[in-house]
Amino acid sequence: MNVLITGFDPFGGEPINPAWEAVKAMKDEIAGATITKLQIPTVVNKSIAKVHEKMLELRPDIVISIGQAGGRFGVTPERVAINVTDARIPDNEGNQPIDEPIFADGDAAYFSNLPVKAMVQEIRNAGYPSTLSNTAGTYICNHVMYGILYYIQKEFPNVRGGFIHVPYAVSQVVNKPATPSMAIADITAALEAAVKAAVEYEQDIKVIGGETH
């Protein structure tokens, strides 16, 4: 089995992106699956295009993109991506789409077909905070998650894919009082646990993962 894991380059004035720092430190094999790592740009369209190109080349069984969600407490697999980009800040090339569809011929939303609740459980079992997230935002993270699932529906029907958000790294919150963070090594271990669940569970588990708001 082949698993493609992507992580973004730094954005928003941050010196690092904990998503890529954690991804590049991941093991090359997890639960018997070969792990391929890919850095992608925090840029509208180019990010999706780079993932799509690698999917065509590698023909992976699973695709998981990792992104930074500064302010979140734990590692959070995403349930759904929506067909809109509404950028609060410009991307790394100055693009700032507002209320624009990601793919004009795409569905309003796509749900991850990964075992997201099993992934949350596996992360927690490994000793790290995790919850299921029901919003990937409207910036490049949602943009890429939607793109992955769009291409899965259109071109790769046997592939499973989704997205995981991670908190700031510790070094990023030195001047951000009371902001949650995790050590890169801990983010890496949590991601490895999530990938293990993605590889081992063909069907998701039936446990409570919802929120009241």
Side-chain angles (χ1 to χ4, degrees):
M1 180 176 287
N2 291 308
V3 181
L4 173 60
I5 308 287
T6 79
F8 291 97
D9 61 2
F11 71 98
E14 293 290 338
I16 65 166
N17 191 321
W20 176 242
E21 296 302 315
V23 166
K24 70 182 183 182
M26 291 175 71
K27 297 172 183 174
D28 294 326
E29 184 177 308
I30 298 171
T34 300
I35 309 301
T36 299
K37 307 159 192 177
L38 176 71
Q39 187 183 61
I40 60 175
T42 307
V43 178
V44 170
N45 298 325
K46 284 187 178 180
S47 49
I48 295 174
K50 189 164 185 179
V51 179
H52 183 223
E53 179 183 4
K54 197 68 175 179
M55 290 172 73
L56 289 169
E57 173 196 331
L58 188 64
R59 297 286 169 174
D61 300 285
I62 297 173
V63 182
I64 307 175
S65 190
I66 314 299
Q68 170 190 295
R72 289 197 186 180
F73 178 73
V75 174
T76 54
E78 297 292 343
R79 194 199 299 257
V80 62
I82 58 175
N83 192 12
V84 65
T85 299
D86 189 2
R88 184 180 60 83
I89 59 174
D91 68 15
N92 283 352
E93 291 187 356
N95 307 298
Q96 192 172 6
I98 297 174
D99 299 336
E100 291 188 10
I102 300 166
F103 285 100
D105 64 340
D107 291 354
Y110 293 119
F111 285 87
S112 171
N113 57 357
L114 294 172
V116 288
K117 291 184 175 181
M119 291 160 69
V120 168
Q121 178 177 273
E122 195 73 32
I123 294 168
R124 290 176 176 173
N125 289 346
Y128 304 101
S130 181
T131 56
L132 180 61
S133 171
N134 294 296
T135 174
T138 58
Y139 192 48
I140 311 297
C141 291
N142 174 79
H143 187 81
V144 166
M145 180 182 178
Y146 185 92
I148 290 169
L149 298 175
Y150 171 90
Y151 282 120
I152 285 174
Q153 186 188 74
K154 301 291 186 182
E155 299 177 18
F156 304 93
N158 297 318
V159 173
R160 292 188 293 161
F163 197 97
I164 303 174
H165 268 119
V166 301
Y168 282 132
V170 175
S171 64
Q172 291 176 281
V173 301
V174 171
N175 296 311
K176 298 181 179 74
T179 302
S181 66
M182 286 178 69
I184 294 295
D186 290 344
I187 296 174
T188 297
L191 293 178
E192 290 174 346
V195 171
K196 178 177 181 291
V199 170
E200 294 181 344
Y201 285 80
E202 290 188 11
Q203 300 294 326
D204 207 357
I205 59 176
K206 194 85 170 178
V207 296
I208 294 171
E211 304 286 348
T212 55
H213 55 79

